Amino acid sequence: MLNAAPITKLSQERLSSLRYLVLNESEASFLSDLPVSDISSAQIAASTLRKHVPTVIITLGAEGLVYDDHTHGQGFMPAFNVNAIDTTAAGDSFCGALAVKLTEGALLKEALYVASAAGALATTKLGAQTSIPSRKLIEDFLQHGN
C-alpha cells in the first residue's frame, strides 16, 4: 500500500509493484494528469490509475471517497458528518486504519468504512499525533455514532 503523500511522480515499475494506491484529490490529479475536483472526476482518475494498480482509493475530504478495485469494481462512499476542526492527521489515520483492517482480512468496503471513520474522527481534534483516534474510539463511533 502506498499513500502518495507528499506527491511525486511514480514510475510504471513502482506503480505495478503496489496492491493499493491511496491518494487525495490533488495527488490523484497529479498522477493521472486529469483534473480532480469532485466525485465524477475522481472516478475517472481512479479508473485511469487502476490500469496500473489493482486498487485505487481517492479521498475527497468532506465528500467521502471513491475507489476502483480489480475485483469489486468502482464505488463511492460518503464521508461521516463530523465537526471538523483540523485535518492534519486525517489521511494518516485513514491509511493506518485501512492497513489494519485489510491485514486482518476485512473486505475492501468494510476496511474503507472503518478507515473513513478514523479519518473523520482525526479531524475533530487539533494537532497530529493527539488527534489520531484509538481503535476503541473508532469502534464506539461506528457503533454509537459519537
Side-chain angles (χ1 to χ4, degrees):
M1 177 188 305
L2 177 68
N3 176 225
I7 192 61
T8 183
K9 278 291 183 191
L10 299 171
S11 69
Q12 285 296 122
E13 182 181 19
R14 178 72 173 132
L15 284 172
S16 66
S17 73
L18 301 173
R19 171 65 179 92
Y20 299 94
L21 178 62
V22 181
L23 308 162
N24 66 23
E25 292 164 280
S26 61
E27 295 156 356
S29 181
F30 182 83
L31 284 182
S32 69
D33 290 324
L34 297 168
V36 178
S37 59
D38 57 18
I39 296 165
S40 178
S41 60
Q43 289 173 324
I44 294 167
S47 178
T48 298
L49 292 167
R50 233 289 289 134
K51 295 172 186 170
H52 310 289
V53 181
T55 305
V56 177
I57 300 158
I58 301 176
T59 59
L60 303 169
E63 284 189 74
L65 65 85
V66 300
Y67 62 89
D68 197 327
D69 178 75
H70 73 291
T71 302
H72 304 287
Q74 199 170 65
F76 166 74
M77 187 173 291
F80 287 94
N81 186 15
V82 296
N83 183 23
I85 57 173
D86 183 6
T87 62
T88 302
D92 295 326
S93 297
F94 177 92
C95 288
L98 180 63
V100 167
K101 293 306 290 181
L102 291 171
T103 301
E104 292 175 345
L107 296 176
L108 180 63
K109 287 182 185 180
E110 177 190 353
L112 289 172
Y113 184 70
V114 173
S116 294
L121 284 169
T123 70
T124 64
K125 294 182 182 177
L126 287 173
Q129 288 180 326
T130 56
S131 69
I132 296 173
S134 67
R135 183 179 197 127
K136 181 173 179 2
L137 183 61
I138 296 165
E139 289 170 353
D140 288 348
F141 176 75
L142 290 172
Q143 186 173 16
H144 305 293
N146 55 24

